[in-house]
């Protein structure tokens, strides 16, 4: 008997489970609950169902995560493109505002001047260690000639040293070849502003007994027959008083920031000294014109 049971162990077990399930299916269960056979079948097969369902759940979860990741990446790319467009528009608006303010300032400065001016844009710069010059987009066709002063609303830029029909070269005040007769606004001390191929200029040939201090404003003196009187040149940053000699030297920061120079004005004025024959001699009046008018 034991051998028979051992031989048919698995079939008998399966048959017993089936019988239990059938009995519970045909027998009434508790209201609202499952039959005993169904409960037993569920409990027996639940681990197997979990093992079978687990890979499907993981694959489904991975697929959902992948779809979410693709959506997030696409949304991120869209937002980054939108942000780039907004930044570009903001940059254009800011540049338009700056250009408008600069145009209004320069227009007001031009309207307040008595000397005819030609506005021009800086198109090239040569700020090497030996030369300091810029190129503007206006030339001889607009009346610009070598020797004409160039200014901005901040102060003196330099001098026209060469022209073409549609361009002109400007020698900046910081160039070693530049010389400007200037004076201190506060004390009227006079000297010569000399370019040094650096960011600062030297205010030379100032008598030792003249008062010059850091912070003093320098203006063009009108001497030298080049620059009109009263144009802002720069501001003194330091003074060097040598222990001997007749003169003192001051370092001056130009009024114009040449690193941000964009627009300039060329004064259409070439000042020339009267010829020698226009002056009278000692026996005559000081001016021939005065004597002729008597």
């Amino acid at each position: 008997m034991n051998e028979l049971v051992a031989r048919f162990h698995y079939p008998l077990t399966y048959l017993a489970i089936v019988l239990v399930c059938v009995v519970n299916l045909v027998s009434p269960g508790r209201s609202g609950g499952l039959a005993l056979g169904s409960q037993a079948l569920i409990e027996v097969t639940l681990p197997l169902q979990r093992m079978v369902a687990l890979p499907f759940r993981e694959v489904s979860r991975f697929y959902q995560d992948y779809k979410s990741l693709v959506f997030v990446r696409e949304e991120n790319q869209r937002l980054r493109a939108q942000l780039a467009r907004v930044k570009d528009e903001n940059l254009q608006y800011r540049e338009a505002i700056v250009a408008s303010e600069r145009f209004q300032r320069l227009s007001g400065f031009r309207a307040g001047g008595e000397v005819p001016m030609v506005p021009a844009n800086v198109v090239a710069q040569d700020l090497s260690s030996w030369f300091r010059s810029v190129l503007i987009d206006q030339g001889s066709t607009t009346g610009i000639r070598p020797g004409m002063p160039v200014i901005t609303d901040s102060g003196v830029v330099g001098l026209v040293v060469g022209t073409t029909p549609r361009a002109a070269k400007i020698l900046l005040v910081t160039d070693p070849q530049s010389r400007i007769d200037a004076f201190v606004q506060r004390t009227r001390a006079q000297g010569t502003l000399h370019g040094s191929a650096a960011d600062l200029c030297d205010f030379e040939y100032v008598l030792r007994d003249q008062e010059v201090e850091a912070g003093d404003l320098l203006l063009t003196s009108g001497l030298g027959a080049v620059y009109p009187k009263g144009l802002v040149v720069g501001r003194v940053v330091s003074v060097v008083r040598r222990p001997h000699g007749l003169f003192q030297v001051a370092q001056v920061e130009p009024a114009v920031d040449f690193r941000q120079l964009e627009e300039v004005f060329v004064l259409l004025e070439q000042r020339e000294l009267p010829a020698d024959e226009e002056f009278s001699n000692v026996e005559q009046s000081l001016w021939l014109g005065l004597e002729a008018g008597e």
Side-chain angles (χ1 to χ4, degrees), residues 40-269:
L41 183 61
I42 291 174
E43 290 295 330
V44 171
T45 58
L46 182 61
L48 180 60
Q49 291 178 359
R50 287 178 177 175
M51 293 178 62
V52 173
L54 180 61
F56 292 98
R57 286 199 304 268
E58 293 299 326
V59 170
S60 177
R61 182 182 302 173
F62 176 79
Y63 178 70
Q64 294 298 329
D65 293 342
Y66 174 75
K67 288 178 58 178
S68 300
L69 181 61
V70 171
F71 175 77
V72 170
R73 183 173 60 184
E74 293 177 351
E75 183 71 10
N76 188 29
Q77 292 176 351
R78 186 182 66 81
L79 292 177
R80 292 177 67 178
Q82 183 177 0
L83 180 61
R85 289 194 299 269
V86 171
K87 286 184 176 180
D88 183 64
E89 292 177 357
N90 186 35
L91 182 62
Q92 293 180 6
Y93 289 147
R94 291 177 60 185
E95 184 63 22
I97 292 174
V98 172
S100 177
E101 293 176 351
R102 187 167 59 242
F103 176 77
Q104 293 179 1
R105 184 175 67 252
L106 294 178
S107 297
F109 172 74
R110 183 184 181 187
E114 299 179 356
V115 180
M117 304 180 188
V118 172
N121 296 311
V122 176
V123 295
Q125 294 190 10
D126 181 11
L127 301 180
S128 63
S129 301
W130 301 103
F131 302 101
R132 295 295 176 105
S133 63
V134 297
L135 196 68
I136 61 175
D137 60 356
Q138 298 292 338
S140 58
T141 55
T142 56
I144 298 177
R145 300 289 183 271
M148 291 183 173
V150 182
I151 62 175
T152 68
D153 61 317
S154 299
V156 177
V157 173
L159 192 69
V160 177
V161 293
T163 61
T164 68
R166 290 182 294 182
K169 186 175 183 180
I170 311 302
L171 186 73
L172 302 181
V173 297
T174 54
D175 189 276
Q177 302 178 72
S178 175
R179 299 288 191 278
I180 301 177
D181 290 305
F183 67 95
V184 178
Q185 184 185 43
R186 181 176 60 89
T187 63
R188 322 308 286 184
Q190 294 191 357
T192 301
L193 192 73
H194 177 204
S196 60
D199 295 333
L200 300 178
C201 299
D202 295 328
F203 188 43
E204 303 174 330
Y205 304 111
V206 183
L207 295 175
R208 288 176 57 85
D209 59 351
Q210 297 290 320
E211 185 180 355
V212 181
E213 295 180 356
D216 284 340
L217 188 67
L218 293 187
L219 306 177
T220 56
S221 65
L223 303 176
V226 177
Y227 295 94
K229 183 178 181 179
L231 299 177
V232 179
V233 179
R235 192 172 295 274
V236 177
V237 295
S238 63
V239 180
V240 178
R241 292 181 173 87
R242 300 186 178 95
H244 55 81
L246 298 176
F247 305 104
Q248 57 182 327
V249 179
Q251 286 191 320
V252 177
E253 181 181 15
V256 177
D257 186 357
F258 298 109
R259 295 169 298 181
Q260 299 181 0
L261 187 62
E262 297 183 23
E263 297 96 1
V264 299
F265 287 101
V266 181
L267 302 182
L268 299 182
E269 180 184 54

